[in-house]
Amino acid sequence: MSFCVISHTADVALDISATTKPKLFEEAAKGYQYLLLENQECHPLEDYIIQLEGNDHESLLVKWLSELAYIFETKQQIACDFKVLALKNNHLRAKVGFAPYDPKMHSIQKDVKAVTYSDLKIEKTSKGFKTRIVFDI
Amino acid sequence: MIELHQISECVWEIPKTGKMLVPGRIFASAKLIHDIRKDKSLEQVMNVATLPGIQKYSIAMPDIHWGYGFPIGGVAAMDVETGVISPGGIGFDINCGIRLLKTPLTVDKVKNKMKEIVAVLFNNIPCGVGSEGVAKCSTKDLQNIVKKGAAWAIENSYGLPSDIDHIEENGCLTQASLEFVSDRAIKRGALQLGSLGSGNHFLEVGVIDKIYNSKVAEAFGLFQNQITIMIHSGSRGFGHQICTDFLDKMQTALKKYEIYVPDRQLACTPLASDEAHEYLSSMAAAANFAWTNRQVMMHKTREVFESVLGVSQHEMQLLYDVCHNIAKFETYEIDGVQKKLCVHRKGATRAFGPNVQETPEKYRHVGQPVIVPGDMGRSSFVLVGTEKAMNQSFGSSCHGAGRQLSRREAVKQAKGRAIYRELEDKGVYVLSKGRHTLAEEMPQAYKDVETVVDSMDIEGLTYKVARIRPLGCIKG
C-alpha cells in the first residue's frame, strides 16, 4: 500500500496503490492529507461518518477526496484518520477522524482546490489495485 | 511522438486521426513547440478534437501546458445545435481573469515607496489558502452579486461607475442564476468575496518600460514609465464547487446522451440539453462572482494608493478586465456561413479586433486590450486584438507565460535559494503567504512571456502594445 506524489506541469498528481479497493480509498485520503501537511503531525479529535453516492468507483473516489477538501475549506477541519467501512458500486461509507486546523501548528503545503477526473481509472494489478489522481491546486 | 506539420512560422497542425473530428492547431514558435512536446498537452489537444460539434480546429495558444481534460491554453468552438458544453473546458476557476489598473503616476514617484506599498497591499487584500474576503456577503448579497455582477460592487461603493465600461461583458453574464447552484458553492462563495486566493494568483505593481505601438497605447491611456497594477484572481471556492458539482452531473450525462470522451475530465452534455442550461446559468453565476471579486480588490488597491501616495481614486482608471477561463456564445464564419458557436477558452483570452461591438467604445477603433501576465521577475504585456484572430483563433490569444516547470520541480530547483532576495536584487519586492509559493512561482518556473506574445505577434493574432516590468507583488 502506498501513495506517491507525481509531478504535473500546472498541478499535482498522486499515484496510489493498495491490496483492496477500500484500502485504495484510504491511501488516496492519506495522500491528500500529505499534500496538505506533508509530514506535520495531526491528531484526530473527533470522528465523523461520511456517506457518499456515485456513478462508479472512480466518481466515488473523486467525491471522497472532494468531501475532505470541502470540509477543510469550510469547517477548518483536517482529515487525518481514515477507515472505509463499506464500498459498493455506487456507495461509500467511511469513518474519518478530524483535527481542527490551527495555523500556529499547521503550515498548509498545498492548497488543494479541486479533485479532477483527468485520465482517472482504477486498475487491477497483480498485487491489488492502482490509480492516478490529479488535483487542481 | 505526435505528428506535427508546420503550416507557417508559428502555426502547427496535428492531422485528424482516430476519433478526432477536426485537426489540432497550435500557435507557437519552433522553440516553444520543442518545450511543449515535453508534456502531455498535445495529447490533450487531440482529445479535445474528439468532442461532438467542434468546429474547424482544436486550438492551442503558445502558452499551452499540460492541464486536466483540456490543455491549459486551449480553445474549442462548438456548434450550438450539434455541439457540447464541457465544464472541464472552462476549468474549476470559472472566470479566472486579469485586470489592469492605470495610474497617473510615473516610476520616479513610487520607487522609494515600493516596500511600503507592497506591505500595505499585503495587509489589506486577503490572500493565501482558504483566505476569507474583505467583503463578506449574505446569501441575499450573493443573489444580487450573481444577478448584477461587478455592478453590485459599484452600487456598494467598491469602485467607480466608469469601471463597468472596461470589463469584458460589462462584468455581467445575463444568464446567471443561483437556481442550480449547490448550497456548498454558496457557502464557499459567501466567505471569499474580495480575496486573491493562492497558486498563481497575484496582485502586481509594475511600470511600463516599453511602448511598441504609440497610437494604440494612446487609445488605451498607457504611457512610458507609467505605474500600473495587475490583479489576477477568479471565482474562488464558489466557482470551484460549481465545476466540481457539474463534473459529477456530466458523468451521468455522458451515459444519458451516449457521448464518448477519451478522458472523463472532458465530460460534457449537448448544448441543447437541460444539463447544459443548468451548467451555463451556474457558470455565469461564478463568472459574475469573479468579476465582483476582482472589482472589490481593485477598490481596496485604489484605497491603498490613495492613502500611501495621495493619488485620487478617480485618477486611477481601469484599462480592461479579461477572463481567461470561460465559455461564450459568439458568431463566426464557418464555410462561408455565419454560425453561432459556444467558444470554450481554458487559459486563453478573448482578443477581438477593431470595430467589434463587444469592445468598449473608446477602444473599438483599435481593438480590444489583451492583458498577458508574465512572471514575477521579467515582464508582462498589453496586447491588442486583430481581425486575423477573428478568422484564425475564434478571436482568442494567449493568457500568460505558461508553466515550464512543475511546482515540485520548481521547489526542488529553488532549494537553498532565497527567491524573495533574488527578486529584490532585481528591484521587485514580493510578499507571499504560502511556504512554497515563491519557489513554485519563481520566474524560472515559467516560459519567457516575451517568446509567447511574440508567437502571436508574428502570426498577427495580437500585436504588442506595451511591456510592463514588475516592481512589487503580493501572492497567496
Side-chain angles (χ1 to χ4, degrees):
Chain A
M1 287 189 298
S2 66
F3 65 83
C4 176
V5 181
I6 300 295
S7 286
H8 185 284
T9 314
D11 296 290
V12 69
L14 287 176
D15 272 356
I16 303 149
S17 58
T19 50
T20 66
K21 277 195 182 175
K23 288 190 190 306
L24 190 80
F25 276 60
E26 290 170 7
E27 282 301 308
K30 286 179 195 167
Y32 162 75
Q33 184 206 347
Y34 179 82
L35 293 178
L36 220 57
L37 294 180
E38 286 187 6
N39 293 316
Q40 298 167 67
E41 283 191 11
C42 175
H43 302 291
L45 293 183
E46 273 188 281
D47 289 341
Y48 289 94
I49 298 293
I50 289 178
Q51 298 202 70
L52 300 165
E53 306 290 328
N55 286 323
D56 51 29
H57 285 155
E58 281 84 358
S59 77
L60 276 172
L61 184 59
V62 169
K63 285 191 165 188
W64 163 238
L65 298 171
S66 299
E67 186 73 14
L68 303 181
Y70 174 78
I71 291 169
F72 171 63
E73 184 172 311
T74 57
K75 297 180 179 165
Q76 307 275 293
Q77 294 283 323
I78 301 172
C80 43
D81 191 41
F82 317 93
K83 179 72 189 164
V84 172
L85 303 172
L87 178 64
K88 294 178 183 164
N89 275 343
N90 56 3
H91 178 81
L92 169 76
R93 188 164 178 269
K95 187 168 87 170
V96 180
F98 287 94
Y101 166 58
D102 180 352
K104 288 176 192 154
M105 281 176 60
H106 305 121
S107 165
I108 300 302
Q109 306 299 302
K110 292 258 184 296
D111 185 11
V112 175
K113 294 169 183 167
V115 186
T116 82
Y117 281 91
S118 186
D119 286 329
L120 181 61
K121 288 184 198 86
I122 297 175
E123 293 173 299
K124 189 142 181 42
T125 66
S126 58
K127 292 178 183 171
F129 295 89
K130 68 171 186 177
T131 192
R132 173 173 290 184
I133 191 147
V134 179
F135 295 85
D136 178 49
I137 55 172
Chain B
M1 186 181 269
I2 289 170
E3 188 181 345
L4 269 180
H5 297 164
Q6 188 164 16
I7 306 296
S8 63
E9 187 176 348
C10 293
V11 182
W12 305 75
E13 191 162 305
I14 305 175
K16 195 174 98 172
T17 53
K19 290 188 160 61
M20 290 169 75
L21 300 172
V22 293
R25 185 157 273 211
I26 301 102
F27 295 94
S29 64
K31 185 181 178 304
L32 285 170
I33 284 287
H34 175 77
D35 293 336
I36 288 164
R37 278 191 179 279
K38 290 177 185 167
D39 67 22
K40 292 187 175 180
S41 49
L42 293 180
E43 197 179 299
Q44 293 182 321
V45 172
M46 294 172 74
N47 288 345
V48 171
T50 67
L51 292 177
I54 187 166
Q55 301 292 297
K56 286 172 88 169
Y57 302 104
S58 167
I59 293 173
M61 296 296 146
D63 49 332
I64 178 181
H65 54 283
W66 188 18
Y68 32 79
F70 271 58
I72 296 168
V75 177
M78 312 304 189
D79 182 285
V80 292
E81 286 168 13
T82 61
V84 293
I85 178 87
S86 171
I90 287 94
F92 286 98
D93 195 1
I94 297 165
N95 189 6
C96 180
I98 188 155
R99 58 173 56 192
L100 186 88
L101 180 63
K102 301 177 285 183
T103 78
L105 302 166
T106 49
V107 66
D108 52 308
K109 301 277 195 315
V110 304
K111 65 181 175 191
N112 295 328
K113 288 198 167 183
M114 274 314 300
K115 262 191 172 171
E116 183 187 355
I117 293 166
V118 170
V120 180
L121 286 167
F122 195 64
N123 288 333
N124 280 272
I125 294 174
C127 53
V129 179
S131 48
E132 295 191 0
V134 285
K136 287 184 188 62
C137 56
S138 63
T139 305
K140 175 94 174 131
D141 288 333
L142 201 61
Q143 278 171 350
N144 285 323
I145 288 164
V146 160
K147 192 172 154 198
K148 297 178 179 179
W152 176 90
I154 291 157
E155 283 173 16
N156 285 273
S157 305
Y158 295 108
L160 310 174
S162 61
D163 293 339
I164 283 294
D165 300 331
H166 303 106
I167 304 176
E168 198 170 318
E169 303 291 340
N170 299 112
C172 183
L173 289 175
T174 53
Q175 72 267 39
S177 163
L178 278 182
E179 188 179 355
F180 305 106
V181 173
S182 69
D183 290 342
R184 288 188 163 205
I186 291 169
K187 190 168 181 184
R188 290 175 75 175
L191 292 169
Q192 295 180 330
L193 184 68
S195 62
L196 267 181
S198 59
N200 63 357
H201 293 159
F202 64 84
L203 187 153
E204 186 174 288
V205 181
V207 56
I208 293 182
D209 72 348
K210 190 165 183 177
I211 297 282
Y212 297 87
N213 185 326
S214 51
K215 180 189 155 205
V216 179
E218 193 180 339
F220 288 174
L222 302 176
F223 55 88
Q224 186 78 23
N225 292 327
Q226 182 181 22
I227 294 295
T228 61
I229 300 111
M230 278 187 296
I231 301 172
H232 178 221
S233 187
S235 50
R236 308 283 283 111
F238 187 59
H240 281 94
Q241 189 64 45
I242 287 171
C243 185
T244 294
D245 294 341
F246 276 93
L247 271 171
D248 182 49
K249 289 181 186 177
M250 295 301 158
Q251 305 301 317
T252 308
L254 286 178
K255 286 183 187 159
K256 180 176 171 186
Y257 298 107
E258 298 179 340
I259 300 170
Y260 162 82
V261 288
D263 177 348
R264 288 177 69 169
Q265 187 69 17
L266 295 171
C268 53
T269 189
L271 275 157
S273 66
D274 289 344
E275 291 88 344
H277 167 71
E278 292 172 14
Y279 171 70
L280 285 165
S281 69
S282 305
M283 179 208 75
N288 292 354
F289 180 91
W291 276 313
T292 311
N293 187 37
R294 293 196 286 275
Q295 181 67 30
V296 169
M297 286 188 285
M298 184 176 75
H299 173 70
K300 298 305 286 182
T301 305
R302 280 181 171 138
E303 285 184 341
V304 168
F305 269 67
E306 190 174 51
S307 68
V308 177
L309 296 161
V311 56
S312 146
Q313 294 193 28
H314 289 269
E315 290 181 281
M316 290 181 276
Q317 293 291 323
L318 176 60
L319 168 71
Y320 205 47
D321 178 306
V322 290
C323 37
H324 45 231
N325 282 358
I326 198 85
K328 292 277 196 71
F329 290 97
E330 296 165 4
T331 301
Y332 293 94
E333 190 180 304
I334 307 287
D335 299 330
V337 178
Q338 293 290 314
K339 274 177 115 173
K340 190 178 175 190
L341 306 175
C342 179
V343 182
H344 295 60
R345 294 192 181 95
K346 167 93 175 284
T349 313
R350 195 187 76 178
F352 283 176
N355 306 316
V356 176
Q357 192 63 30
E358 288 85 347
T359 302
E361 198 178 340
K362 66 198 279 194
Y363 308 141
R364 208 170 287 157
H365 61 297
V366 292
Q368 181 209 304
V370 175
I371 303 151
V372 182
D375 58 70
M376 291 184 287
R378 284 173 285 194
S379 52
S380 297
F381 284 84
V382 177
L383 316 176
V384 64
T386 67
E387 178 65 30
K388 194 172 176 188
M390 309 304 280
N391 299 323
Q392 301 285 312
S393 62
F394 297 108
S396 307
S397 186
C398 52
H399 88 305
R403 289 192 74 91
Q404 61 179 359
L405 295 183
S406 70
R407 291 174 185 278
R408 215 162 164 235
E409 182 58 29
V411 170
K412 201 171 146 192
Q413 289 192 17
K415 204 168 183 184
R417 293 164 56 184
I419 302 297
Y420 76 96
R421 188 154 293 151
E422 289 179 20
L423 289 165
E424 204 167 304
D425 288 345
K426 289 183 176 178
V428 187
Y429 296 102
V430 181
L431 286 173
S432 72
K433 282 266 164 72
R435 186 178 156 202
H436 294 311
T437 304
L438 284 190
E440 289 178 353
E441 295 288 314
M442 67 176 179
Q444 296 86 342
Y446 287 88
K447 301 172 195 173
D448 181 352
V449 71
E450 192 147 8
T451 65
V452 170
V453 296
D454 279 348
S455 291
M456 304 310 283
D457 202 284
I458 287 165
E459 291 300 329
L461 299 190
T462 38
Y463 289 123
K464 290 187 284 186
V465 177
R467 186 175 70 190
I468 303 168
R469 177 166 53 83
L471 297 172
C473 184
I474 68 167
K475 291 190 73 78

